[in-house]
Structure formats: C-alpha cells, structure tokens
DNA sequence: GCGTTAACGGAACAGGAGTTCCTTTTATGG
DNA sequence: CCATAAAAGGAACTCCTGTTCCGTTAACGC
C-alpha cells in the first residue's frame, strides 16, 4: 500500500551508481554546451551511453535532473582559506568565487543551474541548500573577526559572506559587467568596510 | 540582393503594432505562469489570439521573444526619488527593487527573463542594456553625494548603485533568503558605509 | 479611395521529445 | 553459487512543437 520506492534507491550499488555518475557527468557537459534551454534528456542519455528510458524513468524531467546534479555538486566542498585577517579571508573567498564564475566550463554550469532553479521550485530548493552549505563554510572567518574585534559584536556572519559574492553573481547574471579580479577585490573591500561600520549588526547603521 | 527586411519592419503601424503588443503581453503572462522552461510559442499565440504562424515568423524562438519583451520593458523607466541624502536615496532605490522582485507577478517575470538571458547570448545583451539604463538612471544620486562631500572624490557611482541591488538579486536567484524590507534597508546601509569608506574609489580601501 | 504587397492566419505536414511495454542484465540476500 | 526482482535497455508508439504552403486581410503610398 505504501508509496513505491524511487527507482535506484533499493539497489544503489554497482551498475546503478555507474549509471548515475555517467548521466550526471553527461548532463553537466550538455548544460555547459547548450544551457538549460537546449537540454534534452535523450541527448544526455546518448552522451552517457545509457538507455533513454533509464534517464526518463529515474529523473523524468530536466529540472529534476539538474536538482540531482546540484546535490552531487554540494558534496564537493572546497576548503576555506585562513589568512588571519578579515580582508584577507574575504578577498580569498571573492577571488575563488570570481575564478569559478569566470571559468568557461564552471561558469556556464553555474549559470545553467541557476537558470534551472529560476524555473523550478524543486531545483531552487536544491540550489539554496547548496549555497547554505557554502555560506556556512565561510561564515566562521567573520565570527573570528568579531572575536578579534575587527567588526562589531552581533555582526551577521552569513550576511557578510553573501555580501561578498552577491555583486559577482549580479555581474554574471544581471548586469553583464566584466568579472575581473579587481571587481572581486572590490567586493571584499566593500563587505569589510560595511561590516566594520556595523551595517550587518542589528544595532543599526552606526559608523563604528 | 540585400538582406530581406525583418517581418514587421516595413509596415510597423496598425495591425502589426497591435499584434506585437498582444504577443508581448501574452508572453509576459505565460512567463509569469510557467517560467521560461514551460513557455511555448503556440500557447503564447493562443493567449494573444493571434495566428501561431505569426509568432513563429516574427520571433521564431523563445529567447528572441524574451529579448523583444525586454526591449519593450526597457522603455518604461521609473522616475528616481531624491531625498537630499545618499542613504535616503539608496534606501528608496533598494525598497523599489525589493518591492519589484517580491511582487508575485513582477518577480516571476524578472526571474524568467534573467533565466532566459542565462541561456541565450542575444537575450543577455538585451538584459544588460535594460540594466545599464536603470543603473544610469540612479547613478546621479551618488554623484550628488560626492559633490556634497558625503563620499570620497572618484567614487564609482554605477558600482555603488549595483552594490545596492546585487544582494537582493542574489537572494532571489541564488541563496533563496527572504526578500523583506529589512534586507533592502541593510543593502542601502552597507553600500553607503562602503562608499564612505572609499571602497568604490580608485584610491583604495582606506577608511576615510 | 485604390492598388500593391507586407503581414497575418488557417491547415496540413514533419520531426523529435517523452511514454509505454516488454526483454535482458545484474545487484543483493541467502 | 543460486534465486529473486530491481534496474537497465530496446523498439514501437503518441502527441505536440515548430515548419511550410498558400489564401486572406489590411497598411501605406499615390
């Protein structure tokens, strides 16, 4: 009477895992080449050398496939850099984000994935989880800055981290301005300046 | 011998204009309901009460239709608010952007349009033009702040304006955090604090 | 107004995405 | 190693998106 288990969940080993890996890799390739709009599951199946039926049965739609790809990507987290100063840490973060978005392959993949999330609620949730993990990974560098007295008590660490990458994503997705390293450094400088001025602390906009 | 004129360019009056308006309105409705992924031109034609052939002939593809919609949207610019202080002006801007993105219809439309631009180069160019206009519209309020001595000489006005909306777009498209008015106000405060500290001036990150 | 022809509209057509059904392979428990 | 059934694979089918063809309507110049 219960709901039937999702295909792939009862025997996840061996062939099933191989098929998943091949399909996700092929999906990433296809996304990089054609974007979400030009993606069709038959093509993904062909690239993965897997039966078309399998892709339709296990994922069923483009958004669902992208959501699964995101969950796979979320598991690969990059280690955080620690320089001992907030500006150094956030500059490292900004440069990492910039390099990722400016990279032909990675950048295209992120653009495609974000576009997919803009169309589909389920994909959006997967994307939010992905970024929640990344932001949580970098938040401690702001907390350490609070402990060192670099920024006011009560500063919202996650908000500062978001403030660093937001302008970079804005450039890539919205305004189209160049994604050079100077822009990344400016993001970090601005976030640090705003945090020092207390713009991310509940107390208010006080200037220090 | 020359290239044949685009359909609709030789006799743009009367019926042709009516058809364009009806199709663009229908496209906006369809985008709000289904997003770019679920958009098909036959459905748009049905909503616009226009021949399917017409839509395919004049626009031909989803990205091209969205690009035309964007050019239409770019012509409707909202007047800028002037409060006499940078924080006031930028807070007004941030709240306007937030209200637009949080609105069920407008927000969905912007999300769809940005997603379309992420897939297609031509749509991306139309989107960039759209935002170039909007940013140029608001840049003067930063220039006035420079004249008043609120922020350092040489501050990049456009960059400050971008810094205000970037976190709002980031929330909507990437992280999924709530788009409330407190967030908008924080964006404005942070941008002002960073600008005052000279983070957007070429001189460097100096703290004033 | 009137003629020319740009642009629209309906209908029939083509191709491919997504589905269904059934067979073959192979992961997993004993 | 064997039995079971979960998952993959192949092929035929359906339906819908996008195209083509040609007849109809109505802008725009005179």
């Amino acid at each position: 009477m219960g709901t039937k288990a999702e295909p792939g969940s009862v025997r996840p080993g061996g062939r099933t895992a191989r098929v998943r890996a091949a399909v996700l890799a092929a999906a990433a390739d296809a996304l990089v080449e054609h974007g979400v709009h030009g993606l069709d599951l038959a093509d993904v199946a062909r690239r993965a050398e897997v039966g078309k039926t399998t892709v339709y049965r296990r994922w069923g739609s483009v958004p669902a496939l992208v959501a699964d790809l995101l969950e796979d990507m979320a598991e690969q987290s990059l280690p955080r850099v620690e320089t001992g100063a907030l500006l150094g840490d956030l500059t490292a973060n900004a440069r990492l984000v910039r390099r990722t978005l400016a990279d032909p392959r990675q950048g295209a993949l992120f653009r495609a994935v974000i576009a997919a999330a803009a169309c589909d609620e389920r994909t959006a949730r997967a994307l939010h989880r992905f970024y929640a993990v990344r932001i949580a990974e970098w938040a401690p560098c702001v907390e350490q800055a609070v402990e060192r007295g670099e920024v006011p008590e009560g500063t919202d660490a996650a908000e500062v981290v978001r403030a660093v990458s937001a302008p970079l994503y804005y450039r890539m997705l919205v305004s189209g301005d160049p994604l050079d390293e100077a822009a990344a450094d400016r993001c970090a400088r601005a976030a640090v300046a705003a945090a020092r001025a207390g713009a991310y602390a509940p107390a208010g906009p006080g200037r220090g």
Side-chain angles (χ1 to χ4, degrees), chain A:
Chain A
M1 49 167 63
T3 311
K4 219 160 284 173
E6 291 283 304
S9 60
V10 177
R11 288 181 183 175
R15 180 169 62 166
T16 297
R18 269 198 311 280
V19 164
R20 187 174 113 105
V23 168
L24 293 186
D29 288 347
L31 280 178
V32 168
E33 277 184 41
H34 312 297
V36 245
H37 182 247
L39 187 72
D40 82 295
L41 302 192
D43 178 54
V44 170
R46 227 172 296 127
R47 286 166 184 260
E49 294 181 312
V50 150
K52 180 174 75 156
T53 317
T54 301
V55 176
Y56 280 105
R57 184 174 32 231
R58 281 192 54 185
W59 289 278
S61 72
V62 170
L65 176 57
V66 175
D68 195 28
L69 178 62
L70 267 166
E71 269 164 41
D72 193 61
M73 288 167 67
E75 284 161 22
Q76 304 146 18
S77 183
L78 284 177
R80 177 162 62 90
V81 181
E82 295 200 37
T83 66
L86 184 59
L87 183 61
D89 289 2
L90 293 185
T91 300
N93 181 16
R95 288 186 178 181
L96 178 65
V97 170
R98 191 216 60 102
R99 218 178 312 126
T100 304
L101 299 186
D103 178 78
R105 185 185 158 80
Q106 297 258 303
L109 183 57
F110 273 83
R111 211 173 317 173
V113 157
I114 292 168
C119 303
D120 177 75
E121 191 48 45
R122 184 176 153 193
T123 311
R125 276 197 296 275
L127 187 74
H128 300 161
R129 274 198 300 277
F130 176 83
Y131 280 100
V133 170
R134 296 240 159 167
I135 290 167
E137 164 86 12
W138 281 86
C141 79
V142 180
E143 285 154 14
Q144 289 166 4
V146 174
E147 286 163 23
R148 285 194 300 262
E150 272 197 79
V151 296
E153 196 82 21
T155 295
D156 184 337
E159 191 65 22
V160 176
V161 175
R162 278 192 284 263
V164 172
S165 26
L168 298 171
Y169 281 89
Y170 184 84
R171 279 163 175 260
M172 176 176 76
L173 297 167
V174 177
S175 78
D177 296 287
L179 269 172
D180 49 24
E181 194 155 275
D185 291 356
R186 208 178 317 125
C187 288
R189 284 205 312 265
V192 170
R196 279 198 186 130
Y200 300 117
R207 70 191 61 170

